[in-house]
Amino acid sequence: MPKPRVKSASQPSTLQRDAEALNAAVSDLVRIYQFRDRDKICCYDISVTQCYALEALVEQGPCRSQALAEALMLDKSTTTRVVDALVRKGYVERRTDPVDARALSLEVTVSGRKLYDQINAELIQQQIDLLHDLEPEVRAGATEILRRLAKAAQARFMSGVSVGSCATACGTDANEGKSCG
């Protein structure tokens, strides 16, 4: 019976090389989009995080602050500061929760919806400009890959998986409530 081949440390596996290439590509893409988002969204006098909150409220409808914090993957105090700014600017309202009158529900205002629609339309136009030279099946494939990667990454994040020294400093159990920031 032949012995199994052991890859030497000097010869990375195909999976290793693919992971390194994906990491570099995603890092480049995220960096470009972060700057694009900051430059495009911040000209509307809201931060990128405030825009994400507005987007979450538009997409999921009115919700409590804790649900928004979970959707944004932020702690409750950070979410409160983000929402406070959106309320001051007139883009979000706090209303009595229809299910529990003791609680407050967050809801996008008409002007908040208008702002979201305007920002979203401009961002989608940028995507159209990027995609117009690609074949329809390439566009669909790229979108599917990004969705699957995002879903897998979110599942790992939600399960408490962390990386590097943060994994030890923060703990890897999602129920410990530790954070690196």
Side-chain angles (χ1 to χ4, degrees), residues 33-86:
Y33 272 72
Q34 282 176 331
F35 287 122
R36 177 214 60 178
D37 287 352
R38 185 197 65 212
D39 293 344
K40 182 54 101 178
I41 294 167
C42 294
C43 73
Y44 289 100
D45 192 34
I46 65 171
S47 70
V48 173
T49 305
Q50 290 167 3
C51 189
Y52 289 151
L54 200 57
E55 177 181 49
L57 289 170
V58 165
E59 289 181 358
Q60 70 187 32
C63 67
R64 294 184 188 173
S65 186
Q66 183 62 42
L68 181 61
E70 290 170 9
L72 297 174
M73 294 184 242
L74 295 174
D75 62 51
K76 194 162 190 256
S77 64
T78 302
T79 302
T80 298
R81 286 191 300 275
V82 168
V83 169
D84 286 346
L86 290 170

Side-chain angles (χ1 to χ4, degrees), residues 118-178:
Q118 184 176 4
I119 293 170
N120 197 45
E122 289 183 22
L123 295 175
I124 288 172
Q125 183 57 53
Q126 287 182 1
Q127 301 305 340
I128 289 169
D129 295 343
L130 289 173
L131 294 172
H132 81 277
D133 286 337
L134 300 175
E135 298 296 321
E137 54 277 354
V138 172
R139 295 190 306 252
T143 300
E144 177 62 19
I145 287 169
L146 289 174
R147 279 190 186 129
R148 289 176 65 182
L149 289 171
K151 186 176 180 180
Q154 183 178 22
R156 287 180 60 81
F157 179 80
M158 298 307 284
S159 71
V161 174
S162 193
V163 296
S165 60
C166 189
T168 344
C170 297
T172 55
D173 183 0
N175 297 323
E176 289 183 34
K178 298 178 183 177

